[in-house]
C-alpha cells in the first residue's frame, strides 16, 4: 500500500512541476514534456518487469533488495536537484471538500473518462493475461504420465498430468514465468516509448497538436478496435480449448493485439496526461492532478476486480486436474474492456473544448475550427 502511495505521489509531483515551469502560452511544449516524462516512466516500469521476472527466479528477497537499491540511487537527485520552494502551497492547504468537489467541468469529465480508459485495459491485462499465458492446455490434463515430458507445457506430472495452478484455469499456452514477464515488459516498454513520442510521431504530423476534446474522442473510439478484434478471434471454433488448438497461432494473435492496443492506448494516455495539466488551474494543479490519479486508480481497481470475477466464473469445468476452462473467461474480459473503451468515448464527448476543430493531416479536416468571432460571442 505504501509503495503504491509513494509511486502516485512521485507521478503527481512530476506532472505538477511540469505544469508550473512551462509558460501558459506554450501548450505544444507542455504536451511534449508531459508525454516524454510519462512515457519514459512507463518504459522504465517495463524494464522493471523484465528485471523482476528474472530476479524472482533467483529469490524474492533479491528482487526486493534490488528494487530498494534503485530507489535509493534516485534519492540524491530529488533531494539536491530541486528547489526547496517548488510546489510549496502559496495559500492555505486544500480541505477535503475542495479535493472531492472540483469546480472544473472539463476536469471532472476527463476523470470519469480516465477511470473507464484504464478499466478497459485492466479488465484483461493485469490479471487475466498472465494467468492465461501461464495456464497449460486443457487437453491432456488427467492423462497418465511417467515424467513431466509426458505432459504439455505448463503442466506437472504426479502420476497424471496436473495443472499446477487450478485457480488459474487451463486453456493457455503454458509459458514459463520468464517469458510471461517478457510479454508484459515488452508491452509496457512499447507503450511507454509510443507515449513519449506521440506529439512528434502521431499528433504532430496529423495536425492534432496540442490535442483537444475532439482528438481524444477520435483516439478513444479507435481504442475499442484491438479488444473487439480479440473477442472475434477467441469466439472462433478453431480456438476451442477443450478440443485442443494451435498454441503458436494463439501467441501470434496475442502479440498482434498487444502491439495494436499498446500503440492506441499509449496515444490516448499521452493525450489524457496533457489535458489534465492543461485543464488544471495553476493554483490548484496538485489537487487537480491528484484527483485525476485517484480516478486512474479507481479504474484500475474496477478493471482488476471485474477481470478476476469474469476470468474465474465464466467458463465450464475441465475436470478435477485442470480447473476451469479459462478461454471463455478471457473472452469475457475482452468484451468488458471493449465496453469500457466505448463508454470512455461517450463520456469524453461531454468535455467542452472543441473550438480548434479536428484534422487528420494537412488536407483532411474532420471538424472545422470555429471562427474566433463565434467563440467570443459564446
Amino acid at each position: 500500500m505504501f509503495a503504491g502511495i509513494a509511486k502516485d505521489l512521485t507521478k503527481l509531483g512530476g506532472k505538477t512541476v511540469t505544469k508550473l515551469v512551462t509558460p501558459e502560452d506554450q501548450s505544444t511544449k507542455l504536451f511534449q514534456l508531459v508525454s516524454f516524462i510519462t512515457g519514459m516512466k512507463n518504459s522504465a516500469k517495463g524494464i522493471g518487469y523484465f528485471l523482476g521476472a528474472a530476479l524472482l527466479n533467483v529469490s524474492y528477497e533479491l528482487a526486493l533488495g534490488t528494487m530498494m537499491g534503485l530507489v535509493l540511487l534516485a534519492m540524491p537527485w530529488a533531494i539536491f536537484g530541486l528547489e526547496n520552494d517548488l510546489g510549496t502551497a502559496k495559500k492555505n492547504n486544500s480541505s477535503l471538500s475542495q479535493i472531492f468537489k472540483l469546480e472544473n467541468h472539463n476536469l471532472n469529465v476527463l476523470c470519469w473518462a480516465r477511470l473507464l480508459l484504464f478499466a478497459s485495459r485492466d479488465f484483461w491485462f493485469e490479471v487475466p493475461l498472465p494467468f492465461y499465458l501461464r495456464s497449460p492446455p486443457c487437453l491432456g490434463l488427467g492423462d497418465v504420465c511417467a515424467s513431466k515430458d509426458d505432459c504439455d507445457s505448463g503442466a506437472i506430472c504426479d502420476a497424471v498430468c496436473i495443472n499446477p495452478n487450478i485457480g488459474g484455469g487451463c486453456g493457455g499456452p503454458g509459458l514459463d514465468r520468464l517469458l510471461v514477464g517478457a510479454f508484459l515488459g515488452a508491452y509496457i516498454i512499447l507503450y511507454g516509448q509510443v507515449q513519449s513520442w506521440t506529439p512528434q510521431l502521431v499528433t504532430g504530423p496529423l495536425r492534432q497538436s496540442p490535442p483537444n476534446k475532439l482528438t481524444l474522442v477520435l483516439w478513444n473510439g479507435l481504442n475499442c478496435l484491438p479488444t473487439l478484434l480479440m473477442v472475434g478471434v477467441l469466439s472462433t471454433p478453431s480456438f476451442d480449448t477443450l478440443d485442443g488448438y494451435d498454441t503458436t497461432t494463439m501467441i501470434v494473435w496475442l502479440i498482434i493485439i498487444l502491439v495494436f492496443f499498446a500503440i492506441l492506448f499509449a496515444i490516448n494516455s499521452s493525450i489524457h496526461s496533457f489535458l489534465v495539466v492543461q485543464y488544471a488551474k495553476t493554483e490548484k494543479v496538485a489537487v487537480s492532478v491528484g484527483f485525476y490519479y485517484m480516478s486512474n486508480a479507481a479504474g484500475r481497481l474496477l478493471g482488476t476486480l471485474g477481470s478476476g470475477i469474469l476470468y474465474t466464473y465464466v467458463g465450464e469445468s475441465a475436470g478435477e486436474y485442470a480447473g476451469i476452462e479459462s478461454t471463455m473467461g478471457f473472452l469475457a474480459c475482452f468484451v468488458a474492456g471493449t465496453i469500457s473503451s466505448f463508454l470512455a468515448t461517450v463520456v469524453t464527448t461531454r468535455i467542452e473544448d472543441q473550438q480548434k476543430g479536428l484534422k487528420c493531416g494537412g488536407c483532411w479536416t474532420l471538424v472545422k475550427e470555429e471562427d474566433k468571432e463565434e467563440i467570443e460571442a459564446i
Side-chain angles (χ1 to χ4, degrees):
M1 182 181 74
F2 288 112
I5 293 171
K7 186 191 77 168
D8 276 356
L9 286 175
T10 303
K11 293 193 297 183
L12 169 65
K15 281 192 172 62
T16 302
V17 169
T18 307
K19 169 77 171 181
L20 293 175
V21 300
T22 305
E24 291 189 7
D25 60 343
Q26 295 186 16
S27 297
T28 301
K29 182 66 174 178
L30 179 62
F31 182 33
Q32 292 173 345
L33 284 173
V34 170
S35 297
F36 182 79
I37 292 170
T38 308
M40 286 301 176
K41 178 265 296 181
N42 284 318
S43 290
K45 187 166 66 174
I47 295 171
Y49 267 87
F50 276 112
L51 186 60
L55 292 174
L56 282 173
N57 277 334
V58 181
S59 77
Y60 183 65
E61 290 76 15
L62 178 62
L64 284 179
T66 303
M67 182 179 68
M68 292 171 62
L70 291 172
V71 172
L72 288 174
L73 282 175
M75 291 298 292
W77 279 268
I79 296 171
F80 303 109
L82 299 175
E83 298 178 5
N84 292 331
D85 62 343
L86 189 63
T88 303
K90 300 295 189 292
K91 299 178 182 179
N92 294 330
N93 289 325
S94 300
S95 63
L96 281 175
S97 61
Q98 291 174 315
I99 292 174
F100 289 100
K101 187 179 179 181
L102 292 177
E103 295 179 356
N104 188 326
H105 172 78
N106 283 349
L107 195 59
N108 285 333
V109 175
L110 188 66
C111 287
W112 279 107
R114 182 73 168 188
L115 186 155
L116 292 165
L117 178 68
F118 268 76
S120 75
R121 183 192 68 179
D122 288 351
F123 263 119
W124 61 272
F125 180 79
E126 285 292 340
V127 175
L129 180 62
F131 269 102
Y132 184 77
L133 292 173
R134 289 278 289 155
S135 67
C138 296
L139 199 66
L141 292 174
D143 292 351
V144 176
C145 62
S147 68
K148 187 178 179 181
D149 294 336
D150 297 329
C151 303
D152 285 325
S153 177
I156 59 174
C157 180
D158 186 11
V160 295
C161 296
I162 298 174
N163 183 353
N165 182 17
I166 297 292
C170 66
L175 298 183
D176 180 74
R177 179 187 291 116
L178 193 58
L179 283 175
V180 174
F183 245 94
L184 303 181
Y187 164 88
I188 295 173
I189 291 173
L190 173 63
Y191 160 63
Q193 287 304 299
V194 173
Q195 191 175 26
S196 293
W197 302 106
T198 290
Q200 292 85 354
L201 300 180
V202 182
T203 57
L206 291 176
R207 307 285 181 90
Q208 295 174 359
S209 286
N212 59 10
K213 163 257 191 91
L214 297 173
T215 313
L216 189 55
V217 170
L218 171 65
W219 290 103
N220 259 171
L222 293 174
N223 199 63
C224 300
L225 298 180
T227 49
L228 186 60
L229 177 60
M230 197 62 195
V231 169
V233 170
L234 291 172
S235 300
T236 58
S238 57
F239 289 111
D240 186 344
T241 53
L242 295 178
D243 292 333
Y245 68 94
D246 184 5
T247 56
T248 302
T249 304
M250 175 58 78
I251 292 172
V252 170
W253 269 113
L254 283 171
I255 291 172
I256 292 171
I257 297 302
L258 278 173
V259 171
F260 190 14
F261 187 88
I263 292 171
L264 290 175
F265 191 79
I267 295 169
N268 274 288
S269 188
S270 179
I271 296 170
H272 266 259
S273 296
F274 163 72
L275 290 179
V276 66
V277 294
Q278 176 75 356
Y279 294 155
K281 296 178 180 179
T282 303
E283 66 274 13
K284 290 186 177 181
V285 62
V287 172
S288 299
V289 175
F291 188 76
Y292 175 78
Y293 272 122
M294 184 178 71
S295 302
N296 189 100
R300 301 197 67 175
L301 178 64
L302 172 64
T304 303
L305 291 178
S307 68
I309 294 170
L310 292 172
Y311 188 81
T312 304
Y313 295 106
V314 175
E316 59 184 287
S317 174
E320 62 176 314
Y321 299 111
I324 298 294
E325 187 278 314
S326 60
T327 302
M328 290 304 297
F330 200 34
L331 186 153
C333 291
F334 278 105
V335 171
T338 304
I339 293 171
S340 191
S341 288
F342 175 74
L343 291 176
T345 307
V346 174
V347 169
T348 304
T349 62
R350 304 295 298 173
I351 295 175
E352 298 172 357
D353 175 29
Q354 63 273 0
Q355 291 85 359
K356 294 294 184 180
L358 176 64
K359 293 183 178 181
C360 276
C363 56
W364 192 10
T365 300
L366 298 179
V367 180
K368 290 184 178 181
E369 182 177 354
E370 295 181 8
D371 294 334
K372 292 183 179 180
E373 294 181 0
E374 291 181 5
I375 297 173
E376 292 174 358
I378 293 173

